[in-house]
Structures are given as structure tokens and as C-alpha cells.
Amino acid sequence: MDFTPTEEQAAARGLAGEIFADLATPERLAAAGTGSDPELWKALCAAGLPGAVEDIGLLGLVLLLEEQGRVTAQVPFAASCVYGLLAVAAHGTAEQRSRLLPPLRQGSAVATGAFPARSGVEAAPDGTLSGTVGWVPWLRDATQVLVAAADRTLWLVRVADACVEPVELTAPWAAGRLALDRAPGERLGGPGAYEDVRAAARTAFAGLQAGVCAGSLARAVTHTNEREQFGRPLAAKQAVQLRAADAHMDTEAIRVTAYEAAWRRDAGLPYGTHALTAAWWASEAGKRVVHAGQHLHGGTGADLDHPAHRHFLWGRQLDAYLGCGSEALEELGELIAKEEPA
């Protein structure tokens, strides 16, 4: 295994970091409310970053999502890249790739995914879909949604052909409730496509969680170094140092497991168990880190408008997305048992 970024991956990460640092400021995030930041999305697309994901792979995407997570930038970057670009590139036909990929690269089309743990969507023989999904992240920004039907087939549905109701989540992810009533769908991929896209999504969102945790911890370190109590910085207290050290180790565990899963996918190796491992760390350790970040801010962390609280909300949302830690662990155990030789 070699997680050293290639020259292209490092350049893309650096460019993404600059754009996110310049435009995803606390003031702009507050102004965006619970929606996305269209100007930031335009800047990312103008820089060619969504389209670059095809070249830099899932590991490159994880690196970019780390930068997004550090500042909790409100754009559908992860969703559109995983459920759109990477899914179509890996499982689309030649005609689908030539038709669907160009607008996704440019950002004029935005994809998201409806991947509930137990799908209530049924696919009819004529290719129409019916059912509801309680909440889909970034649905209010999307032009198309990749729907996982109850039989684990994948279908691309135009958002214009569905009924969308706004839903507010723990984190401001511009989510919506998806209702389908014989909506026309376009089949994507065959056997194994569902498992691959779900594993890629788990890996990508684990990378996003690594960035959220890194940003939360960085803010906590700055705060405890600047805040004094009885004439000494809070950071001088051993209990504060130990809490921050534990959070750092948890963050590194999330990062390295996401890197490994992404690297294995890019190398064409099996990575289902590795994606579940990354998801488990993102859920369990991510929850601990954002709680520690808020705790180390003291009363300031309870301020709903403070950036530390924003990281807390994102961390808790990512904890539950695509299955909480116990669900990931149960699925991981079942998958390992199936892979054991008889």
C-alpha cells in the first residue's frame, strides 16, 4: 500500500484547500443557512475539480473531501462525485458515459443518491419506480438522483420527474424527501453495481468525516491555547492535552482507513470490508472527536452559531449516514463470515 498522493492528486488537493479556505468562511456559511453555497460550487466547477475526480480516483476524491470537511463547506461535492461521476464512469454504458458525464464534470448537472438501509422503492418491469425515501442529502440541489431499489438495482431518475419536499437534517445538507409515483428510471450497471457504489460512498463520506474531525480539533487546539484560566492557557492542563490527543488518534484512524479503502478501489482490489471498516471508524470515532471538540470549547461550543458547533452537527450527521457504527459492524461481520472458506 502506498497512500502518497500523486502529483495530480496533490495539486487538486492544494487547489481545493485554497478555494474552500477563501470562500467557505463562517460568515458565508451563516448566510447560506441550511442550503448550499452556489457561488462556491461555481468556483469549484470553474477550477475543474469535479471533473478531475475521474483522473485522480477515489483516493483523490477522499483528499478533496478532507479539505471540504475542514471548513464544513455546504456544497454537494461528495454526493455528485460518488453517485454521479464515479458511478456512471464505472457502471454506465458507453452511451450513458458520453451523455451523462460531461454535464457532471462541468457542474451543470448535480447528482445525489437515495441509498436507504431498507429501500421502499420498487422498480416495475417497464422501468418506472414507485415509493418514497424519507431523506436524501443535497436533493434540493440535484438534477438527478441515483435510486437503489428494494432489489438492489440502481436507477437514475430525473429530479424533475419526482416529488421533492424540503427536509432539514442535523447538518445543513439541502436534503429533501423523495417521492416517486411511476417515475421513469434509467438502469445503471448490473450485478455488483449497488455494492460498489455503496462502498465507494462509505469511503468518500469517511474521508469527509476525517476532514470534519480535523477541522474540529484544529479549532479546539487554537481555542485552548488562546483561552486562559487562572493565568495559564487551557492547553497547559493535562486533562485537556489527553482529550485532544485521543481526538487526534481517532481522526488519524478515520483518515488511514478511508485512504486504504480508496486506494484498494483505485488499484482494482476487493475493498468491501475495508469500506465498512472506514465507515465504522467514521461513525464511532467521528462522534467522539466532534463531542471532544465541542467540550474543549466549553460554553462557547454550545453557541449554535459558533463554527465549533457546526463541526459537531456535521460529525453527528455523518455518524448516522449510510449506517451507524453498530450497523456497519454487523454488516462487516456478516461479510467476513461469507468470505471465510468452508
Side-chain angles (χ1 to χ4, degrees):
M1 291 178 289
D2 183 6
F3 304 150
T4 304
T6 64
E7 185 177 341
E8 292 79 9
Q9 290 171 340
R13 178 174 62 179
L15 179 58
E18 291 178 9
I19 295 173
F20 284 129
D22 289 343
L23 296 182
T25 61
E27 294 77 19
R28 286 179 63 94
L29 291 172
T34 60
S36 60
D37 185 338
E39 294 305 315
L40 174 56
W41 180 242
K42 289 179 183 177
L44 292 168
C45 295
L49 289 174
V53 170
E54 289 179 87
D55 297 322
I56 61 178
L58 184 56
L59 179 56
L61 176 59
V62 166
L63 296 174
L64 300 184
L65 293 178
E66 277 192 84
E67 300 303 320
Q68 178 186 358
R70 290 180 200 277
V71 293
T72 60
Q74 292 172 204
V75 286
F77 199 89
S80 195
C81 288
V82 171
Y83 300 121
L85 275 163
L86 292 181
V88 173
H91 302 288
T93 63
E95 187 279 328
Q96 286 175 321
R97 292 196 298 271
S98 64
R99 172 169 49 89
L100 298 172
L101 288 178
L104 287 168
R105 294 175 187 133
Q106 299 162 7
S108 56
V110 174
T112 189
F115 272 64
R118 294 174 179 82
S119 180
V121 176
E122 298 289 342
D126 62 356
T128 59
L129 291 92
S130 299
T132 60
V133 181
W135 65 274
V136 178
W138 306 109
L139 184 60
R140 300 196 315 250
D141 291 335
T143 56
Q144 57 197 45
V145 54
L146 185 62
V147 179
D151 60 357
R152 294 197 167 188
T153 53
L154 297 182
W155 301 82
L156 280 168
V157 176
R158 293 193 318 140
V159 173
D161 294 328
C163 178
V164 176
E165 298 176 8
V167 173
E168 299 304 338
L169 305 179
T170 302
W173 283 6
R177 178 180 180 271
L178 180 70
L180 304 171
D181 184 10
R182 297 191 61 79
E186 180 179 357
R187 180 72 183 271
L188 183 72
Y194 169 88
E195 288 77 12
D196 177 60
V197 173
R198 187 169 173 82
R202 282 171 164 153
T203 304
F205 281 95
L208 184 61
Q209 181 75 301
V212 169
C213 291
S216 174
L217 183 57
R219 290 189 180 278
V221 169
T222 299
H223 174 78
T224 54
N225 274 286
E226 294 175 348
R227 177 80 170 180
E228 291 191 358
Q229 191 177 65
F230 306 115
R232 299 177 63 200
L234 288 175
K237 297 181 181 296
Q238 188 178 44
V240 172
Q241 295 172 7
L242 292 174
R243 192 82 194 272
D246 285 343
H248 171 73
M249 294 304 295
D250 274 337
T251 301
E252 289 302 301
I254 300 169
R255 177 182 288 118
V256 73
T257 52
Y259 283 6
E260 181 180 12
W263 177 85
R264 290 183 64 90
R265 183 187 190 274
D266 292 342
L269 299 171
Y271 74 111
T273 55
H274 302 79
L276 279 165
T277 302
W280 183 85
W281 276 104
S283 175
E284 295 294 314
K287 182 166 48 182
R288 289 195 297 265
V289 173
V290 295
H291 274 264
Q294 182 151 327
H295 184 199
L296 291 173
H297 275 82
T300 305
D303 183 352
L304 300 184
D305 297 322
H306 196 279
H309 191 72
R310 186 180 297 275
H311 282 84
F312 174 78
L313 296 178
W314 276 67
R316 289 312 307 258
Q317 186 70 62
L318 285 163
D319 159 39
Y321 186 52
L322 294 177
C324 64
S326 59
E327 292 172 319
L329 194 62
E330 179 183 10
E331 189 175 342
L332 178 60
E334 293 173 352
L335 190 57
I336 292 174
K338 288 179 182 179
E339 293 179 352
E340 289 284 340

